[in-house]
Amino acid sequence: MNVISKSRVITEIKECLILAVPLAGAQLSQGATTFVDTVMMGSLGSQIIAAGALGASIFHILMYMGSGIVSSVSPLAAEGYGAGRVELVSRVVRQGLLLSLILAVPITLLIWNGGTLLRLFGQEPKTIVLAQEYLKAIAWGYLPGLSFAVLRSFVSALSKPRPVIAIVIGGTLLNIVGNYILMFGKYGFPALGLAGIGYASALSYWAMFAALAIYILNHSQLRIYRAFSKIYQFESKVFWELVRVGLPIGVLAGVEGGFFTCVTFLMGQLGTVTLAAHQIAFQTAVLTFMIPVGLSIATTVRVGQLVGQENPTGARLAGFVGIGLGAAFMAVMGILFWVFPERIVSLYIDTTDPKNATVVGLAKQLLGVAAMFQIADGIQVAAAGALRGLKDTRIPLLIGALAYWGIGLTCGYTLGMLLGFGGIGLWWGFVIGLALAAAVLTWRFSTIEIPQRIKIGQLTGSRG
């Protein structure tokens, strides 16, 4: 058994943080876009928050799934970079962009017609009409959002994630300004209300994609990979390897996101007040979750690079460092949720207005439950990232399906809908599902065999 020295652990923590800080910052800024959207929806009333919650749920789960599929660019490019194979990295990113285009066409059409899904789930007709306006606006942002995810995975795999945070912060600021102008009809623009938020988000996605593409084209160390040349050219081996690794990631994202979306739909059946409280608490949890997501991406890269360097001991250490950092950060967030619930709720809605008393009270209770699953959420996403670095994606998919749907949703539905605990019971399903996923995914990473030699040559025989 290899004994890992304290200095190696410290070194790996530093390496992980060098990657994770800009990536986590970018994820947090991107999550802040949705946070700002929710806050600005609140100025238009509880009905708008409820409609926005449903529309955003559909868009973001589909974006989460698509980004999961194309995130296979990250472990493949990281492994190629670690092995010094420039041409493989080039092929991976080009085929990743092609894959994003192929995915975006049908999914954009699905988002455009998202109102049909809401009717199937029994949502209130007025809420559906408002949500449909939002979905038709934000649908224009799906393709650039997915393509941006490919480019982000590419630069991260090459340990150059710093520009991502600047670009995402810029996109967030653009989104805020766009919300203000298009929601309220400033500077000669029509007042579009909730649809204005959707158009502003779509615009910010296009701006972020364009900015990162320009950066790559002008960076001497990235330009050699020719990321945008011959993206129309189909290379079957690389393309299908991306699909093979990425599809289970995307489906797992859908399983996990679908779990939360299904709960949102169930909340809608309990009424507008419950749905509004759920959106406030859930959006707060999503915002804190962005930091472990950044850590997870960094963990995937570090594990993939060390596998490419044929260093299995280092890869194992990198995975556990990522898991530990995710748990530590979320422990702090859980304490904040528990100690300051009213201050958090006041960011979204006027807690002194008697008309909002019921929403405020329920949102505070939901934040108390959220405090209970923060650590588990940080562990499960980091453990999944570590496994992705090993290109192990199929078994984690099965683990997620069992934990979220088989156990978490069943328990939440039983507590919330059958036993009458309402939104609180549904949220306890989150606690149970996430805790189970965290335990089993971590166990799998601790026991899975990491190969001593890589098999990267099956995609290309040339070394760049």
Side-chain angles (χ1 to χ4, degrees):
M1 181 177 179
N2 291 315
V3 177
I4 300 174
S5 67
K6 181 180 178 180
S7 62
R8 284 189 64 187
V9 174
I10 294 173
T11 298
E12 184 54 45
I13 290 174
K14 290 179 179 178
E15 290 291 334
C16 182
L17 289 176
I18 288 171
L19 274 173
V21 169
L23 289 172
Q27 288 295 139
L28 184 61
S29 298
Q30 207 158 1
T33 301
T34 311
F35 169 78
V36 169
D37 286 352
T38 303
V39 170
M40 297 186 81
M41 287 174 193
S43 67
L44 299 176
S46 295
Q47 182 76 49
I48 297 297
I49 287 183
L54 294 176
S57 294
I58 290 176
F59 179 81
H60 290 298
I61 186 177
L62 292 172
M63 179 61 79
Y64 194 34
M65 289 179 67
S67 297
I69 294 172
V70 301
S71 73
S72 55
V73 167
S74 185
L76 269 67
E79 190 172 315
Y81 177 69
R85 302 199 174 183
V86 173
E87 183 56 31
L88 175 60
V89 177
S90 302
R91 293 181 180 183
V92 166
V93 66
R94 290 197 296 262
Q95 293 303 293
L97 289 170
L98 178 61
L99 178 59
S100 70
L101 176 60
I102 292 172
L103 290 171
V105 173
I107 295 177
T108 298
L109 292 174
L110 180 61
I111 295 168
W112 186 271
N113 295 284
T116 302
L117 293 176
L118 297 178
R119 292 187 193 93
L120 292 175
F121 283 95
Q123 303 303 306
E124 296 178 3
K126 186 176 180 181
T127 304
I128 292 173
V129 172
L130 290 170
Q132 183 68 74
E133 293 176 1
Y134 170 84
L135 287 168
K136 286 187 175 182
I138 200 171
W140 296 103
Y142 192 82
L143 173 60
L146 211 57
S147 300
F148 176 78
V150 172
L151 299 184
R152 182 187 61 194
S153 295
F154 165 53
V155 298
S156 302
L158 272 60
S159 297
K160 300 188 185 301
R162 292 185 180 180
V164 175
I165 185 171
I167 290 169
V168 173
I169 290 173
T172 301
L173 294 175
L174 177 63
N175 186 73
I176 294 170
V177 174
N179 282 350
Y180 175 73
I181 293 173
L182 297 177
M183 277 178 63
F184 302 114
K186 303 296 182 179
Y187 306 110
F189 286 88
L192 299 176
L194 187 58
I197 294 177
Y199 282 119
S201 296
L203 177 62
S204 70
Y205 279 121
W206 277 107
M208 290 189 296
F209 169 68
L212 189 52
I214 291 169
Y215 172 81
I216 290 169
L217 288 170
N218 287 277
H219 192 287
S220 59
Q221 295 178 5
L222 296 176
R223 195 166 53 236
I224 63 172
Y225 292 94
R226 304 187 306 281
F228 301 100
S229 68
K230 301 180 180 178
I231 59 173
Y232 55 84
Q233 184 174 319
F234 180 74
E235 299 185 43
S236 62
K237 286 185 178 181
V238 177
F239 183 89
W240 292 115
E241 181 69 2
L242 285 169
V243 173
R244 184 191 70 80
V245 175
L247 188 59
I249 300 174
V251 175
L252 176 59
V255 166
E256 182 180 357
F259 171 44
F260 292 110
T261 301
C262 185
V263 171
T264 298
F265 288 153
L266 291 172
M267 288 284 188
Q269 293 180 10
L270 295 174
T272 299
V273 168
T274 303
L275 182 57
H278 164 79
Q279 177 65 0
I280 289 170
F282 182 64
Q283 181 52 50
T284 306
V286 168
L287 193 62
T288 61
F289 181 63
M290 293 298 101
I291 299 296
V293 169
L295 279 165
S296 177
I297 297 170
T299 303
T300 298
V301 171
R302 283 298 298 157
V303 172
Q305 288 178 346
L306 289 162
V307 168
Q309 294 169 15
E310 301 181 354
N311 182 357
T313 302
R316 183 89 67 190
L317 174 61
F320 280 120
V321 164
I323 292 169
L325 290 173
F329 174 81
M330 292 298 264
V332 175
M333 293 301 102
I335 292 171
L336 294 178
F337 282 16
W338 188 263
V339 176
F340 303 111
E342 185 156 356
R343 291 187 183 181
I344 294 171
V345 175
S346 68
L347 296 173
Y348 299 88
I349 198 168
D350 184 359
T351 56
T352 63
D353 188 340
K355 293 186 296 184
N356 297 329
T358 307
V359 173
V360 170
L362 181 55
K364 288 168 60 179
Q365 292 181 61
L366 293 177
L367 282 172
V369 180
M372 308 298 289
F373 66 68
Q374 289 293 286
I375 294 177
D377 213 6
I379 292 173
Q380 66 86 19
V381 71
L387 290 167
R388 281 197 295 273
L390 302 175
K391 296 187 288 188
D392 179 50
T393 56
R394 295 181 184 179
I395 299 300
L397 168 59
L398 298 177
I399 293 170
L402 174 63
Y404 303 133
W405 288 87
I407 306 297
L409 185 60
T410 299
C411 291
Y413 186 83
T414 300
L415 291 169
M417 309 300 283
L418 301 182
L419 298 181
F421 290 97
I424 300 296
L426 286 167
W427 269 56
W428 271 103
F430 290 165
V431 177
I432 296 167
L434 290 168
L436 180 61
V440 180
L441 288 169
T442 302
W443 170 81
R444 177 159 179 83
F445 181 73
S446 69
T447 58
I448 191 172
E449 181 181 356
I450 300 178
Q452 297 286 335
R453 307 280 304 173
I454 59 172
K455 298 180 180 179
I456 202 168
Q458 62 184 331
L459 297 182
T460 176
S462 62
R463 187 178 286 267

PDB file of all heavy atoms in Angstrom, residues 250-268:
ATOM      1  N   GLY A 250     -24.698  12.908 -18.871  1.00  0.00           N
ATOM      2  CA  GLY A 250     -25.881  13.703 -19.164  1.00  0.00           C
ATOM      3  C   GLY A 250     -27.144  13.089 -18.597  1.00  0.00           C
ATOM      4  O   GLY A 250     -28.005  13.793 -18.059  1.00  0.00           O
ATOM      5  N   VAL A 251     -27.260  11.767 -18.720  1.00  0.00           N
ATOM      6  CA  VAL A 251     -28.439  11.094 -18.177  1.00  0.00           C
ATOM      7  C   VAL A 251     -28.456  11.211 -16.653  1.00  0.00           C
ATOM      8  O   VAL A 251     -29.504  11.430 -16.038  1.00  0.00           O
ATOM      9  CB  VAL A 251     -28.489   9.627 -18.624  1.00  0.00           C
ATOM     10  CG1 VAL A 251     -29.658   8.899 -17.959  1.00  0.00           C
ATOM     11  CG2 VAL A 251     -28.613   9.533 -20.140  1.00  0.00           C
ATOM     12  N   LEU A 252     -27.274  11.068 -16.018  1.00  0.00           N
ATOM     13  CA  LEU A 252     -27.198  11.244 -14.563  1.00  0.00           C
ATOM     14  C   LEU A 252     -27.602  12.663 -14.180  1.00  0.00           C
ATOM     15  O   LEU A 252     -28.307  12.872 -13.182  1.00  0.00           O
ATOM     16  CB  LEU A 252     -25.787  10.939 -14.066  1.00  0.00           C
ATOM     17  CG  LEU A 252     -25.542  11.177 -12.565  1.00  0.00           C
ATOM     18  CD1 LEU A 252     -26.496  10.329 -11.723  1.00  0.00           C
ATOM     19  CD2 LEU A 252     -24.092  10.879 -12.204  1.00  0.00           C
ATOM     20  N   ALA A 253     -27.139  13.653 -14.965  1.00  0.00           N
ATOM     21  CA  ALA A 253     -27.554  15.028 -14.711  1.00  0.00           C
ATOM     22  C   ALA A 253     -29.065  15.155 -14.815  1.00  0.00           C
ATOM     23  O   ALA A 253     -29.705  15.858 -14.024  1.00  0.00           O
ATOM     24  CB  ALA A 253     -26.868  15.974 -15.697  1.00  0.00           C
ATOM     25  N   GLY A 254     -29.644  14.456 -15.808  1.00  0.00           N
ATOM     26  CA  GLY A 254     -31.088  14.469 -15.961  1.00  0.00           C
ATOM     27  C   GLY A 254     -31.790  13.766 -14.812  1.00  0.00           C
ATOM     28  O   GLY A 254     -32.845  14.206 -14.339  1.00  0.00           O
ATOM     29  N   VAL A 255     -31.192  12.663 -14.359  1.00  0.00           N
ATOM     30  CA  VAL A 255     -31.759  11.922 -13.229  1.00  0.00           C
ATOM     31  C   VAL A 255     -31.759  12.795 -11.978  1.00  0.00           C
ATOM     32  O   VAL A 255     -32.763  12.891 -11.259  1.00  0.00           O
ATOM     33  CB  VAL A 255     -30.954  10.622 -12.991  1.00  0.00           C
ATOM     34  CG1 VAL A 255     -31.286  10.012 -11.635  1.00  0.00           C
ATOM     35  CG2 VAL A 255     -31.252   9.615 -14.100  1.00  0.00           C
ATOM     36  N   GLU A 256     -30.604  13.436 -11.725  1.00  0.00           N
ATOM     37  CA  GLU A 256     -30.495  14.290 -10.545  1.00  0.00           C
ATOM     38  C   GLU A 256     -31.357  15.546 -10.699  1.00  0.00           C
ATOM     39  O   GLU A 256     -32.143  15.890  -9.813  1.00  0.00           O
ATOM     40  CB  GLU A 256     -29.037  14.687 -10.315  1.00  0.00           C
ATOM     41  CG  GLU A 256     -28.820  15.526  -9.078  1.00  0.00           C
ATOM     42  CD  GLU A 256     -27.356  15.904  -8.872  1.00  0.00           C
ATOM     43  OE1 GLU A 256     -26.501  15.466  -9.668  1.00  0.00           O
ATOM     44  OE2 GLU A 256     -27.083  16.657  -7.925  1.00  0.00           O
ATOM     45  N   GLY A 257     -31.198  16.236 -11.842  1.00  0.00           N
ATOM     46  CA  GLY A 257     -31.986  17.438 -12.062  1.00  0.00           C
ATOM     47  C   GLY A 257     -33.470  17.135 -12.161  1.00  0.00           C
ATOM     48  O   GLY A 257     -34.309  17.916 -11.691  1.00  0.00           O
ATOM     49  N   GLY A 258     -33.809  15.989 -12.774  1.00  0.00           N
ATOM     50  CA  GLY A 258     -35.202  15.586 -12.880  1.00  0.00           C
ATOM     51  C   GLY A 258     -35.822  15.329 -11.522  1.00  0.00           C
ATOM     52  O   GLY A 258     -37.013  15.585 -11.296  1.00  0.00           O
ATOM     53  N   PHE A 259     -35.022  14.807 -10.617  1.00  0.00           N
ATOM     54  CA  PHE A 259     -35.458  14.598  -9.237  1.00  0.00           C
ATOM     55  C   PHE A 259     -35.891  15.922  -8.623  1.00  0.00           C
ATOM     56  O   PHE A 259     -36.999  16.050  -8.075  1.00  0.00           O
ATOM     57  CB  PHE A 259     -34.284  13.972  -8.470  1.00  0.00           C
ATOM     58  CG  PHE A 259     -34.437  13.874  -6.979  1.00  0.00           C
ATOM     59  CD1 PHE A 259     -35.620  13.445  -6.400  1.00  0.00           C
ATOM     60  CD2 PHE A 259     -33.375  14.199  -6.144  1.00  0.00           C
ATOM     61  CE1 PHE A 259     -35.749  13.345  -5.023  1.00  0.00           C
ATOM     62  CE2 PHE A 259     -33.485  14.097  -4.768  1.00  0.00           C
ATOM     63  CZ  PHE A 259     -34.681  13.673  -4.207  1.00  0.00           C
ATOM     64  N   PHE A 260     -35.054  16.950  -8.755  1.00  0.00           N
ATOM     65  CA  PHE A 260     -35.393  18.259  -8.203  1.00  0.00           C
ATOM     66  C   PHE A 260     -36.541  18.912  -8.965  1.00  0.00           C
ATOM     67  O   PHE A 260     -37.408  19.558  -8.367  1.00  0.00           O
ATOM     68  CB  PHE A 260     -34.164  19.170  -8.230  1.00  0.00           C
ATOM     69  CG  PHE A 260     -33.064  18.739  -7.290  1.00  0.00           C
ATOM     70  CD1 PHE A 260     -31.872  18.226  -7.775  1.00  0.00           C
ATOM     71  CD2 PHE A 260     -33.229  18.832  -5.929  1.00  0.00           C
ATOM     72  CE1 PHE A 260     -30.865  17.821  -6.910  1.00  0.00           C
ATOM     73  CE2 PHE A 260     -32.227  18.438  -5.048  1.00  0.00           C
ATOM     74  CZ  PHE A 260     -31.047  17.930  -5.546  1.00  0.00           C
ATOM     75  N   THR A 261     -36.565  18.736 -10.293  1.00  0.00           N
ATOM     76  CA  THR A 261     -37.638  19.320 -11.091  1.00  0.00           C
ATOM     77  C   THR A 261     -38.979  18.683 -10.766  1.00  0.00           C
ATOM     78  O   THR A 261     -40.006  19.363 -10.671  1.00  0.00           O
ATOM     79  CB  THR A 261     -37.331  19.174 -12.589  1.00  0.00           C
ATOM     80  OG1 THR A 261     -36.093  19.823 -12.883  1.00  0.00           O
ATOM     81  CG2 THR A 261     -38.432  19.794 -13.435  1.00  0.00           C
ATOM     82  N   CYS A 262     -38.970  17.371 -10.579  1.00  0.00           N
ATOM     83  CA  CYS A 262     -40.203  16.660 -10.228  1.00  0.00           C
ATOM     84  C   CYS A 262     -40.750  17.182  -8.900  1.00  0.00           C
ATOM     85  O   CYS A 262     -41.964  17.383  -8.750  1.00  0.00           O
ATOM     86  CB  CYS A 262     -39.942  15.166 -10.157  1.00  0.00           C
ATOM     87  SG  CYS A 262     -41.428  14.166  -9.872  1.00  0.00           S
ATOM     88  N   VAL A 263     -39.850  17.406  -7.947  1.00  0.00           N
ATOM     89  CA  VAL A 263     -40.280  17.970  -6.664  1.00  0.00           C
ATOM     90  C   VAL A 263     -40.859  19.369  -6.869  1.00  0.00           C
ATOM     91  O   VAL A 263     -41.854  19.744  -6.237  1.00  0.00           O
ATOM     92  CB  VAL A 263     -39.112  17.988  -5.657  1.00  0.00           C
ATOM     93  CG1 VAL A 263     -39.492  18.767  -4.394  1.00  0.00           C
ATOM     94  CG2 VAL A 263     -38.721  16.564  -5.283  1.00  0.00           C
ATOM     95  N   THR A 264     -40.263  20.161  -7.771  1.00  0.00           N
ATOM     96  CA  THR A 264     -40.789  21.498  -8.065  1.00  0.00           C
ATOM     97  C   THR A 264     -42.211  21.401  -8.606  1.00  0.00           C
ATOM     98  O   THR A 264     -43.100  22.170  -8.212  1.00  0.00           O
ATOM     99  CB  THR A 264     -39.889  22.225  -9.077  1.00  0.00           C
ATOM    100  OG1 THR A 264     -38.582  22.404  -8.516  1.00  0.00           O
ATOM    101  CG2 THR A 264     -40.455  23.595  -9.434  1.00  0.00           C
ATOM    102  N   PHE A 265     -42.446  20.438  -9.512  1.00  0.00           N
ATOM    103  CA  PHE A 265     -43.796  20.244 -10.048  1.00  0.00           C
ATOM    104  C   PHE A 265     -44.775  19.829  -8.941  1.00  0.00           C
ATOM    105  O   PHE A 265     -45.922  20.290  -8.899  1.00  0.00           O
ATOM    106  CB  PHE A 265     -43.786  19.191 -11.154  1.00  0.00           C
ATOM    107  CG  PHE A 265     -43.144  19.659 -12.430  1.00  0.00           C
ATOM    108  CD1 PHE A 265     -42.566  18.750 -13.299  1.00  0.00           C
ATOM    109  CD2 PHE A 265     -43.108  20.995 -12.769  1.00  0.00           C
ATOM    110  CE1 PHE A 265     -41.966  19.159 -14.482  1.00  0.00           C
ATOM    111  CE2 PHE A 265     -42.511  21.427 -13.953  1.00  0.00           C
ATOM    112  CZ  PHE A 265     -41.946  20.501 -14.806  1.00  0.00           C
ATOM    113  N   LEU A 266     -44.330  18.966  -8.043  1.00  0.00           N
ATOM    114  CA  LEU A 266     -45.180  18.555  -6.921  1.00  0.00           C
ATOM    115  C   LEU A 266     -45.476  19.741  -6.010  1.00  0.00           C
ATOM    116  O   LEU A 266     -46.591  19.876  -5.491  1.00  0.00           O
ATOM    117  CB  LEU A 266     -44.516  17.426  -6.136  1.00  0.00           C
ATOM    118  CG  LEU A 266     -44.411  16.076  -6.856  1.00  0.00           C
ATOM    119  CD1 LEU A 266     -43.568  15.095  -6.054  1.00  0.00           C
ATOM    120  CD2 LEU A 266     -45.800  15.483  -7.107  1.00  0.00           C
ATOM    121  N   MET A 267     -44.475  20.599  -5.819  1.00  0.00           N
ATOM    122  CA  MET A 267     -44.689  21.818  -5.044  1.00  0.00           C
ATOM    123  C   MET A 267     -45.766  22.683  -5.698  1.00  0.00           C
ATOM    124  O   MET A 267     -46.598  23.287  -5.014  1.00  0.00           O
ATOM    125  CB  MET A 267     -43.384  22.611  -4.942  1.00  0.00           C
ATOM    126  CG  MET A 267     -42.336  21.985  -4.037  1.00  0.00           C
ATOM    127  SD  MET A 267     -42.751  22.228  -2.306  1.00  0.00           S
ATOM    128  CE  MET A 267     -41.245  21.625  -1.515  1.00  0.00           C
ATOM    129  N   GLY A 268     -45.751  22.745  -7.036  1.00  0.00           N
ATOM    130  CA  GLY A 268     -46.752  23.515  -7.760  1.00  0.00           C
ATOM    131  C   GLY A 268     -48.156  23.014  -7.508  1.00  0.00           C
ATOM    132  O   GLY A 268     -49.113  23.799  -7.458  1.00  0.00           O
TER     133      GLY A 268
END
